[in-house]
């Protein structure tokens, strides 16, 4: 019985390794990354998932590339892992372009915000919303008022961090927009995302000088 948890953990790890497949290919001075599926877990239907540790390892192994091209198609997932991916991309010395695919929701929008150049398609479904947590239903039998307060403070802090990320990408003048937007559960129109600065342009319409623009601090 004592070995069963380890066996189950090993099985999950093997399934993840088998399902994930390569997420990046280096061609010349450019690293191309394909991030598809939920963040922090595997979608069994497509056999794909996005994991912070995998992205961090790829970036660490390609420290010398000058350009990083990221395509992300994800319904979101684990907020903490999304922030880790954002931070890893921001720390890399390369110029980072992130393009949102069919869906860029929840934590995936945090990854999108890591780009020096951020693009999407006319049909891309963008969705920003506040962080949620299922802990009260699963943590233990009794969930006291103090624990509710502590969880609420934790979630508020995470929401502020997400707004900080969006505002850093789009410009501080956009902060109030994002503070309101994360309270919604409705898709963010692409035209509005462009007007606010979260999206720079539609894919295929990027300016020729995009790669000569200085990186954000």
């Amino acid at each position: 019985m004592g070995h069963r948890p380890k066996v189950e953990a090993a099985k999950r790890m093997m399934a993840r390794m088998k399902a994930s497949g390569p997420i990046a290919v280096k061609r010349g001075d450019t690293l191309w990354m394909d991030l598809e599926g939920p963040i922090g877990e595997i979608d069994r239907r497509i056999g794909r998932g996005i994991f912070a540790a995998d992205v961090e390892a790829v970036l660490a192994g390609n420290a010398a590339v000058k350009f990083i091209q990221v395509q992300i198609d994800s319904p979101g997932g684990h907020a903490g892992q999304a922030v880790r991916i954002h931070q890893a991309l921001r720390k890399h010395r390369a110029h980072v372009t992130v393009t949102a695919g069919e869906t860029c929701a929840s934590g995936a929008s945090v990854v999108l915000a890591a780009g020096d150049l951020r693009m999407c398609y006319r049909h891309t479904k963008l969705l920003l919303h506040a962080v949620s947590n299922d802990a009260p239903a699963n943590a233990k039998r009794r969930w006291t008022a103090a624990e509710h307060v502590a969880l609420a403070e934790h979630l508020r802090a995470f929401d502020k961090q997400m707004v900080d990320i969006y505002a850093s990408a789009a410009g501080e003048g956009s902060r109030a927009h994002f503070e309101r937007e994360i309270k919604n559960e409705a898709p963010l129109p692409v035209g509005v995302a462009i007007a606010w600065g979260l999206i720079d342009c539609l894919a295929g319409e990027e300016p020729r000088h995009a790669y000569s623009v200085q990186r954000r601090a």
Side-chain angles (χ1 to χ4, degrees), residues 22-35 48 58-59 62 65-72 89 95 97 99 119 121 206 211:
I23 63 170
V25 176
K26 179 178 177 293
R27 297 191 182 98
D29 59 1
T30 303
L31 181 68
W32 299 81
M33 302 186 71
D34 181 17
L35 304 180
R48 299 291 297 274
V58 166
L59 294 176
N62 291 274
V65 297
K66 295 182 179 179
F67 306 108
I68 297 174
Q69 295 274 355
V70 180
Q71 173 91 10
I72 183 164
L89 288 168
H95 183 283
T97 297
T99 304
M119 301 186 293
Y121 300 92
E206 59 268 32
Y211 293 132

Side-chain angles (χ1 to χ4, degrees), residues 126 170 174 177-178 181 187-199:
L126 298 170
S174 65
H177 296 313
F178 297 118
E181 187 62 26
L188 176 64
V190 169
V192 175
I194 292 174
W196 289 354
L198 181 61
I199 297 293

Side-chain angles (χ1 to χ4, degrees), residues 44-144:
R44 301 295 177 185
R45 296 171 301 172
I46 62 173
R48 299 291 297 274
I50 304 169
F51 296 89
D54 296 341
V55 174
E56 290 165 344
V58 166
L59 294 176
N62 291 274
V65 297
K66 295 182 179 179
F67 306 108
I68 297 174
Q69 295 274 355
V70 180
Q71 173 91 10
I72 183 164
D73 196 334
S74 170
H78 193 281
Q81 292 209 33
V83 170
R84 281 175 57 189
I85 295 170
H86 174 96
Q87 292 172 339
L89 288 168
R90 295 305 310 146
K91 288 177 181 177
H92 201 285
R93 299 171 65 181
H95 183 283
V96 179
T97 297
V98 183
T99 304
E102 293 283 339
T103 302
C104 183
S106 186
S109 65
V110 173
V111 178
L112 171 65
D116 297 298
L117 178 64
R118 301 171 300 281
M119 301 186 293
C120 69
Y121 300 92
R122 293 187 187 277
H123 62 272
T124 298
K125 179 182 177 182
L126 298 170
L127 178 64
L128 283 58
H129 63 69
V131 178
S132 62
N133 192 301
D134 297 329
N138 303 319
K140 59 185 181 181
R141 292 182 181 178
R142 298 183 68 253
W143 191 263
T144 68

Side-chain angles (χ1 to χ4, degrees), residues 137-217:
N138 303 319
K140 59 185 181 181
R141 292 182 181 178
R142 298 183 68 253
W143 191 263
T144 68
E147 289 164 317
H148 275 293
V149 170
L151 177 58
E153 290 176 350
H154 172 73
L155 295 181
R156 279 195 291 267
F158 228 116
D159 287 345
K160 181 182 180 300
Q161 184 177 19
M162 291 177 65
V163 170
D164 288 344
I165 286 171
Y166 298 138
S168 176
E172 281 300 320
S174 65
R175 185 176 192 86
H177 296 313
F178 297 118
E179 288 175 338
R180 290 192 300 269
E181 187 62 26
I182 66 169
K183 298 175 183 178
N184 297 331
E185 287 294 337
L188 176 64
V190 169
V192 175
I194 292 174
W196 289 354
L198 181 61
I199 297 293
D200 291 308
C201 62
L202 295 176
E205 296 181 358
E206 59 268 32
R208 294 181 180 179
H209 66 277
Y211 293 132
S212 67
V213 176
Q214 187 174 357
R215 292 201 76 207
R216 290 186 285 126

